[in-house]
Amino acid sequence: MRRLLIASGLASGLLTLGACATLGEPVTLTMAEMDQRCAQRGGMLQPTGAQTGRAQADYICQEAMARTDSAGRNQARTDLDRAIGAGLQRGGPYGRSN
């Protein structure tokens, strides 16, 4: 029993150390590098509203598909809202009150 406790304590300690350890230096990209990587994915850099002085926190790459608001996506959203509303009116498994 004592061996089991020691082994589990040692294993949890190693897991904790592994979770806290860093595998390298944090990635710091310049604005030009971020713009290039984003353009390669077909996106555009958009400001996040933060003003930290770090490009990674101040800008985000928004891909072209995320920028367009297509009719299909709007229709899917409308259909989902209707289905949820109908399920709640019927008293589905999550809408029942006892």
Side-chain angles (χ1 to χ4, degrees), residues 36-53:
Q36 180 184 12
R37 287 184 179 190
C38 187
Q40 287 174 347
R41 293 192 315 216
M44 289 177 44
L45 285 180
Q46 299 290 324
T48 60
Q51 295 179 351
T52 64

Side-chain angles (χ1 to χ4, degrees), residues 15-88:
L15 285 173
T16 304
L17 285 175
C20 295
T22 58
L23 296 176
E25 304 226 358
V27 177
T28 53
L29 299 174
T30 64
M31 187 71 173
E33 291 170 333
M34 282 184 57
D35 190 34
Q36 180 184 12
R37 287 184 179 190
C38 187
Q40 287 174 347
R41 293 192 315 216
M44 289 177 44
L45 285 180
Q46 299 290 324
T48 60
Q51 295 179 351
T52 64
R54 291 180 27 238
Q56 290 88 355
D58 295 345
Y59 292 90
I60 189 168
C61 181
Q62 189 172 24
E63 295 183 19
M65 291 303 291
R67 285 193 310 266
T68 60
D69 197 20
S70 66
R73 190 172 8 173
N74 286 337
Q75 183 63 41
R77 187 177 299 130
T78 302
D79 292 344
L80 178 63
D81 289 343
R82 284 184 188 153
I84 290 171
L88 290 174

